[in-house]
Amino acid sequence: MSLHEVPLSAPKCGDCPIRHRAVCARCEADELAALDAIKYYRSFEAGQTLIWSGDRMDFVASVVTGVATLTQVLEDGRTQAVGLLFPSDFVGRPGRDTAPYNVIATTDLLMCCFRKKPFEELMGRTPHIGQRLLEMTLDELDAAREWMLILGRKTAREKIASLLAIVGRREASLHRRAPQGRIVFDLPLTREAMADYLGLTLETVSRQISALKRDGVIELSGKRHITIPDFDRLMEEAGDDADGGLVG
Amino acid sequence: MSLHEVPLSAPKCGDCPIRHRAVCARCEADELAALDAIKYYRSFEAGQTLIWSGDRMDFVASVVTGVATLTQVLEDGRTQAVGLLFPSDFVGRPGRDTAPYNVIATTDLLMCCFRKKPFEELMGRTPHIGQRLLEMTLDELDAAREWMLILGRKTAREKIASLLAIVGRREASLHRRAPQGRIVFDLPLTREAMADYLGLTLETVSRQISALKRDGVIELSGKRHITIPDFDRLMEEAGDDADGGLVG
DNA sequence: CGATAAATTGAACTCCGTCAAACCTAGTGG
DNA sequence: CCACTAGGTTTGACGGAGTTCAATTTATCG
């Protein structure tokens, strides 16, 4: 663990911004109290690696605020991101004790953690947790399969448009709005992180973003602040039909 | 449903070849009896599409024998396979009623089906089913993420080697053997299906298979019967380290 | 304002896709 | 029994989308 890590005191679950979407979403008051008793918060800075692939994992956690990525790396250094974690997303697998991926904070990050053993025990006598975790895992599986289509069959321009659509959609859903018309958000990823997601080089990412800007599909202020003037137009550029390919 | 579909009488679960690996793996005798009561078998011929994306799905099922693929298709026809289903793998999601993918039999196929409603009810009062389904879904998620690395970062040659390694490993595990040394199996996929998996064209698949044959990494009799003289050599060609990248 | 990482842009190259033709191989029917 | 067919597969030649290597510009934070 890095020196930058800052333990925090734990606010009550009732006030939690991810209460209704996280692994605890279905829990009753008493179940929540049990979780409350074993939870602790940790924060990380943008760029930090929280977990290294192969490390012993003795906790599981939910993202409270910020964004993180899961990445896999080949021996020669080629890197592929395989998961994009937004607030309410879950990290770690009950029953497994070494991490299969690197987990990297791409923005400042606050995590709600549970030591694995107590969490597993609690899960054993709290079906609501397992049920919610199954739901979330099925959603992640759908998202992973959507990525497989993007990685395998889309052009560089479509890949960028797809990523912007996915990020825009998730940012919108954090504010409980449907993504349509004009969307404004901050990209939580560097060009390199985007490249790692899309199976591209950072140069190609940069070129395609410039092209989308030139063509009026997106507007940029600074490098990270993005405006989508017309979300449907972006969806067309992504190669999906207008009603959106992403499930969940 | 096609005319080729053949309903079969249902053997007892006790004799079932996937009894110990499928969604029913953790069930006790009484739970198994409940499943037995609502199950029915269906068989399909190689090449048949069992389920079309967007179709109403009123059943879930386990693969008993044979292999099937899940595919996604863009409007312009570009196709990406997003799942490879071997015996014991599960199709369908409790709580969802339209299919998100095409499901295609790539060999003759026998499925053990459950109408969705009774299955969901049974799942509600049988934690062992939900627990096993969570386990299997987490394994599928790991497999999907392994595919993301293959699709995003591997060369055509590495992709072919990876696919052969994955198929060889699964075939070996059907016979409860660890994959090492000399492996022999039949490819359950056409060149086109392989291309759809790997984000390649069938021409590139063909060329790379010829190259691997030329280099002694694989041997072919006919188009489908494959011999891997040295599994470790194949793993090297796949770009993974020798102990294997695939989780689960 | 100046330093340093991130991003953009350019030019040459390469791996894989595209288009086209030939080649197997397992059935079919004469 | 063998010619014929059709789907699947192999091979070739060429072109292009994206990579690689390199130089420059921009942003951000002391």
Side-chain angles (χ1 to χ4, degrees):
Chain A
M1 291 300 155
S2 151
L3 296 172
H4 290 300
E5 182 185 321
V6 181
L8 298 182
S9 68
K12 285 288 165 200
C13 288
D15 305 335
C16 181
I18 58 168
R19 165 77 182 86
H20 56 296
R21 314 191 77 212
V23 72
C24 51
R26 293 190 175 197
C27 290
E28 311 289 351
D30 58 329
E31 296 166 341
L32 216 56
L35 279 169
D36 218 334
I38 62 170
K39 82 169 196 269
Y40 57 102
Y41 283 63
R42 273 167 154 178
S43 72
F44 302 89
E45 293 188 344
Q48 266 192 280
T49 296
L50 332 193
I51 299 163
W52 293 93
S53 174
D55 271 6
R56 184 166 178 78
M57 268 285 277
D58 44 18
F59 67 96
V60 298
S62 296
V63 177
V64 180
T65 59
V67 175
T69 65
L70 306 182
T71 67
Q72 281 191 299
V73 183
L74 296 172
E75 294 107 285
D76 60 8
R78 283 175 288 176
T79 300
Q80 177 65 47
V82 297
L84 189 54
L85 303 174
F86 281 83
S88 80
D89 286 341
F90 188 77
V91 184
R93 171 173 176 169
R96 167 181 293 162
D97 47 27
T98 60
Y101 315 110
N102 298 324
V103 183
I104 304 170
T106 66
T107 67
D108 289 344
L109 192 65
L110 180 62
M111 305 286 287
C112 174
C113 307
F114 308 94
R115 274 177 305 121
K116 191 157 63 77
K117 206 54 177 292
F119 184 84
E120 285 168 2
E121 285 164 10
L122 188 54
M123 207 174 116
R125 52 194 152 85
T126 313
H128 285 160
I129 297 177
Q131 286 165 12
R132 177 66 186 140
L133 190 54
L134 175 56
E135 243 175 35
M136 293 173 73
T137 305
L138 286 163
D139 286 341
E140 275 189 273
L141 184 56
D142 284 330
R145 287 173 166 163
E146 183 72 20
W147 274 112
M148 289 175 68
L149 175 64
I150 292 169
L151 286 169
R153 292 303 184 194
K154 290 192 177 179
T155 64
R157 167 183 267 244
E158 289 170 334
K159 284 178 173 180
I160 299 290
S162 298
L163 178 58
L164 294 176
I166 288 171
V167 173
R169 195 181 290 120
R170 293 237 32 185
E171 295 273 356
S173 89
L174 288 182
H175 305 96
R176 314 245 200 151
R177 285 194 259 91
Q180 56 178 181
R182 193 176 196 79
I183 304 276
V184 181
F185 60 90
D186 281 311
L187 252 188
L189 302 169
T190 64
R191 299 290 185 266
E192 187 178 23
M194 295 177 70
D196 285 345
Y197 252 96
L198 299 171
L200 298 171
T201 59
L202 65 90
E203 293 94 331
T204 299
V205 169
S206 184
R207 274 185 255 273
Q208 295 299 336
I209 288 181
S210 299
L212 288 173
K213 189 168 86 178
R214 208 164 38 240
D215 298 343
V217 181
I218 64 176
E219 294 159 17
L220 289 184
S221 356
K223 301 303 179 187
R224 294 293 194 91
H225 196 71
I226 301 245
T227 300
I228 312 292
D230 177 0
F231 196 80
D232 287 344
R233 172 77 196 286
L234 183 67
M235 292 300 297
E236 281 169 37
E237 292 287 353
D240 297 317
D241 29 31
D243 63 337
L246 248 198
V247 199
Chain B
M1 292 302 155
S2 151
L3 296 173
H4 290 300
E5 182 184 323
V6 181
L8 298 183
S9 69
K12 286 289 166 200
C13 287
D15 305 336
C16 181
I18 58 169
R19 164 76 182 88
H20 56 297
R21 313 191 78 210
V23 71
C24 50
R26 294 191 175 195
C27 290
E28 309 290 351
D30 57 329
E31 297 164 342
L32 216 55
L35 279 170
D36 217 333
I38 62 170
K39 83 170 196 267
Y40 57 101
Y41 282 63
R42 273 168 153 176
S43 72
F44 302 89
E45 292 189 346
Q48 266 192 279
T49 297
L50 332 192
I51 299 164
W52 294 93
S53 174
D55 272 6
R56 186 166 178 75
M57 268 286 278
D58 43 20
F59 66 96
V60 297
S62 294
V63 177
V64 180
T65 59
V67 175
T69 64
L70 305 181
T71 67
Q72 283 192 298
V73 183
L74 295 172
E75 292 108 286
D76 61 8
R78 282 176 287 177
T79 300
Q80 177 66 48
V82 297
L84 189 54
L85 303 173
F86 280 82
S88 81
D89 286 340
F90 188 77
V91 184
R93 171 172 176 168
R96 165 182 293 162
D97 45 28
T98 61
Y101 314 109
N102 299 324
V103 183
I104 303 171
T106 65
T107 67
D108 290 344
L109 192 66
L110 180 62
M111 305 285 288
C112 174
C113 306
F114 309 94
R115 277 178 302 119
K116 192 156 64 76
K117 206 53 177 291
F119 184 84
E120 284 168 3
E121 285 165 9
L122 187 55
M123 207 174 114
R125 53 196 152 83
T126 312
H128 284 160
I129 297 177
Q131 286 166 12
R132 178 64 187 141
L133 190 54
L134 175 56
E135 242 176 34
M136 293 173 73
T137 305
L138 285 164
D139 286 341
E140 275 190 274
L141 184 55
D142 283 331
R145 287 174 166 161
E146 183 71 20
W147 275 111
M148 290 176 67
L149 175 63
I150 292 169
L151 286 169
R153 293 302 184 195
K154 290 193 178 179
T155 64
R157 167 182 267 244
E158 289 170 334
K159 284 178 174 180
I160 298 291
S162 297
L163 179 58
L164 294 176
I166 287 171
V167 173
R169 196 181 289 120
R170 292 238 32 183
E171 295 274 354
S173 89
L174 289 182
H175 306 96
R176 314 245 198 150
R177 284 194 259 92
Q180 56 178 181
R182 193 177 194 81
I183 304 277
V184 181
F185 59 92
D186 282 311
L187 252 189
L189 302 169
T190 64
R191 299 289 185 266
E192 187 178 22
M194 294 177 70
D196 285 345
Y197 252 95
L198 299 171
L200 299 171
T201 59
L202 64 90
E203 293 94 331
T204 298
V205 170
S206 184
R207 272 186 256 272
Q208 295 299 335
I209 288 180
S210 298
L212 288 174
K213 189 169 85 178
R214 209 166 34 242
D215 298 344
V217 182
I218 64 175
E219 295 160 16
L220 289 183
S221 356
K223 303 302 178 187
R224 297 291 195 89
H225 195 72
I226 302 245
T227 300
I228 312 291
D230 177 0
F231 198 80
D232 286 345
R233 171 78 195 285
L234 183 67
M235 293 301 297
E236 280 168 37
E237 292 287 353
D240 297 318
D241 31 31
D243 62 338
L246 247 199
V247 199

